[in-house]
């Protein structure tokens, strides 16, 4: 698949424009309701599906199916992301009106990190064919682990990233609006919102270790791998606000995701030495596994409504009072003062 530079630049421009539109639409902190989340989810899904249709039209059915297979894998794995986000945001007691901003920054970081991973993965596959065995092994091992640990969930208190952050970064005990850092008594300190962002970024890197090899199993085209990831990740925030209170109903989805990872791992091994599984078959298998796991989940939990995620022993973070916020010093004040003194 020959993709000219201008096409890459055009796609990146669309992504940046959509991010800017999203940021502008949510420039004021507010609680995002189900209706607003559903509208934005529809927008992001339409954008991702529309791009896939464009690929299908311009590059042919095979490349179109490869894109949709990768997009479906990433969208499905995103539901697991949503549950992890719900646990993290609940543990840190992040006010709902501040959640969009930290998730926006988290998705922005995810796009950057995944772009780096995809570029590195493409170079490795082109240079060392045996890397496909490594990717396949990662997928198979991860799939088996997910089945064994299907009832286990992230415990933020045991997060190494959080422990290291608390050890080396001074942190306030209160949220000061959507600020990530504040200056208190002449000292820069992180707000809990920055700790949340760090934990979210680290967990996404862990998820990328699974999702990136999974997409390389259905397409070895870097352009399709990146765009499928990007358009799936862009809708994560809206998906979170739409599904966060419903994740308890997807009881069999984790098993389904594990089976998908095992399937694409087997497909990758077959592709190396035995036989190439057509993209049509691969896409059909992935869609069938995900569809059945979702259907069985909803059937098993029918009648259950929206239920917020609860976390035992949530950290005692609070929202700063107006008086506390008014007493904050400008974050850049000292730098400006030192600059002026040097000029003198």
């Amino acid at each position: 698949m020959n993709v000219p530079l201008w096409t890459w630049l055009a796609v990146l421009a669309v992504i940046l424009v959509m991010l800017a539109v999203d940021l502008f639409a949510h420039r004021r902190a507010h609680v995002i309701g189900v209706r607003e989340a559903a509208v934005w989810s529809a927008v992001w899904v339409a954008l991702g599906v529309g791009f896939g249709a464009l690929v299908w039209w311009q590059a042919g059915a095979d490349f179109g199916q490869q894109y949709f297979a990768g997009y479906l894998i990433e969208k499905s794995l995103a539901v697991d992301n949503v549950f992890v986000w719900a646990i993290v945001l609940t543990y840190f007691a992040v006010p709902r009106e501040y959640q969009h901003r930290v998730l926006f920054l988290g998705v922005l970081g995810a796009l950057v990190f995944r772009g780096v991973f995809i570029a590195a993965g493409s170079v490795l596959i082109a240079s060392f064919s045996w890397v496909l065995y490594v990717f396949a092994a990662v997928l198979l091992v991860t799939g088996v682990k997910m089945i064994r640990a299907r009832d286990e969930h992230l415990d933020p208190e045991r997060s190494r990233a959080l422990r290291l952050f608390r050890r080396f970064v001074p942190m306030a005990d209160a949220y000061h609006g959507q600020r990530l850092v504040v200056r208190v008594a002449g000292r820069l300190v992180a707000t809990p919102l920055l700790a949340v962002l760090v934990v979210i970024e680290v967990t996404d890197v862990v998820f990328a270790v699974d999702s990136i090899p999974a997409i390389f199993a259905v397409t070895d085209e870097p352009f399709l791998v990146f765009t499928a990831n990007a358009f799936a990740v862009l809708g994560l925030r809206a998906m979170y606000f739409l599904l966060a209170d419903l994740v308890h109903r997807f009881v069999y989805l984790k098993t389904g995701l594990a089976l998908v990872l095992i399937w694409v791992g087997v497909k990758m091994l077959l592709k190396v030495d035995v036989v190439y599984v057509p993209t049509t078959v691969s896409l059909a298998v992935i869609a069938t596994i995900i569809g059945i796991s979702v259907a069985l989940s909803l059937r098993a939990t029918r009648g259950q409504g929206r239920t917020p995620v609860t976390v035992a022993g949530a950290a005692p973070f609070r929202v700063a009072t107006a008086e506390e916020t008014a007493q904050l010093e400008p974050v850049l004040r000292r730098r400006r003062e030192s600059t002026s003194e040097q000029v003198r």
Side-chain angles (χ1 to χ4, degrees):
M1 185 178 185
N2 185 22
V3 181
L5 178 61
W6 70 265
T7 302
W8 279 95
L9 295 177
V11 170
L12 291 174
V14 169
I15 292 173
L16 291 175
V17 168
M18 291 303 299
L19 286 172
V21 170
D22 187 21
L23 184 61
F24 179 79
H26 300 92
R27 62 191 182 280
R28 294 182 179 179
H30 66 281
V31 177
I32 297 179
V34 175
R35 182 176 180 180
E36 182 180 357
V39 171
W40 276 100
S41 292
V43 169
W44 293 120
V45 170
L47 186 64
V49 172
F51 182 82
L54 182 62
V55 171
W56 196 306
W57 175 49
Q58 290 291 328
D62 188 48
F63 286 125
Q65 291 171 4
Q66 290 178 28
Y67 168 84
F68 279 114
Y71 181 78
L72 182 58
I73 288 173
E74 188 60 40
K75 269 295 184 186
S76 303
L77 291 172
V79 179
D80 211 17
N81 269 49
V82 166
F83 188 74
V84 170
W85 285 0
I87 293 176
V88 172
L89 295 175
T90 301
Y91 171 81
F92 281 93
V94 181
R96 292 184 69 88
E97 60 268 26
Y98 303 153
Q99 291 179 2
H100 181 275
R101 178 60 57 85
V102 71
L103 293 181
F104 176 89
L105 295 174
V107 166
L108 194 61
L111 288 173
V112 174
F113 284 121
R114 290 177 184 233
V116 173
F117 290 161
I118 290 168
S122 299
V123 172
L124 287 174
I125 291 174
S127 304
F128 310 101
S129 59
W130 53 264
V131 171
L132 293 175
Y133 291 108
V134 177
F135 283 0
V138 169
L139 293 172
L140 293 172
V141 172
T142 302
V144 172
K145 285 184 176 180
M146 285 181 67
I147 291 177
R148 291 180 175 178
R150 58 186 178 274
D151 296 324
E152 298 179 7
H153 305 296
L154 172 73
D155 183 1
E157 188 62 38
R158 298 173 59 186
S159 169
R160 293 181 181 178
L162 180 57
R163 290 202 300 267
L164 289 173
F165 185 86
R166 285 174 166 173
R167 181 177 178 181
F168 294 105
V169 181
M171 189 170 69
D173 65 346
Y175 292 98
H176 294 271
Q178 299 186 91
R179 297 178 178 89
L180 298 179
V181 294
V182 293
R183 186 180 293 279
V184 179
R187 185 189 186 196
L188 278 177
V189 297
T191 68
L193 210 59
L194 182 57
V196 173
L197 179 59
V198 170
V199 174
I200 285 177
E201 290 292 1
V202 171
T203 54
D204 184 76
V205 169
V206 175
F207 275 108
V209 172
D210 304 331
S211 64
I212 300 301
I215 294 186
F216 272 116
V218 296
T219 177
D220 54 6
E221 295 292 339
F223 181 73
L224 298 182
V225 175
F226 174 75
T227 51
N229 253 277
F231 286 112
V233 168
L234 283 172
L236 271 178
R237 296 178 311 286
M239 181 184 290
Y240 166 78
F241 291 108
L242 184 64
L243 299 180
D245 294 344
L246 293 174
V247 290
H248 63 284
R249 296 200 58 187
F250 296 95
V251 291
Y252 298 122
L253 182 60
K254 198 164 187 176
T255 301
L257 295 177
L259 293 177
V260 167
L261 293 180
I262 292 173
W263 159 250
V264 294
V266 171
K267 178 184 181 298
M268 184 173 281
L269 288 177
L270 294 176
K271 178 182 177 180
V272 176
D273 291 320
V274 184
V275 64
Y276 172 74
V277 179
T279 307
T280 304
V281 174
S282 182
L283 180 59
V285 171
I286 294 169
T288 300
I289 293 174
I290 297 300
I292 291 176
S293 63
V294 170
L296 291 177
S297 296
L298 296 179
R299 180 181 179 183
T301 60
R302 58 182 179 275
Q304 297 183 17
R306 304 183 71 89
T307 304
V309 173
T310 57
V311 177
F317 298 117
R318 59 186 179 83
V319 177
T321 64
E323 292 77 11
E324 290 174 323
T325 301
Q327 293 174 3
L328 293 176
E329 303 170 20
V331 172
L332 301 178
R333 189 187 65 177
R334 288 195 168 186
R335 180 179 300 176
R336 292 172 181 171
E337 289 178 352
S338 61
T339 302
S340 62
E341 288 176 2
Q342 292 176 3
V343 173
R344 292 176 185 175

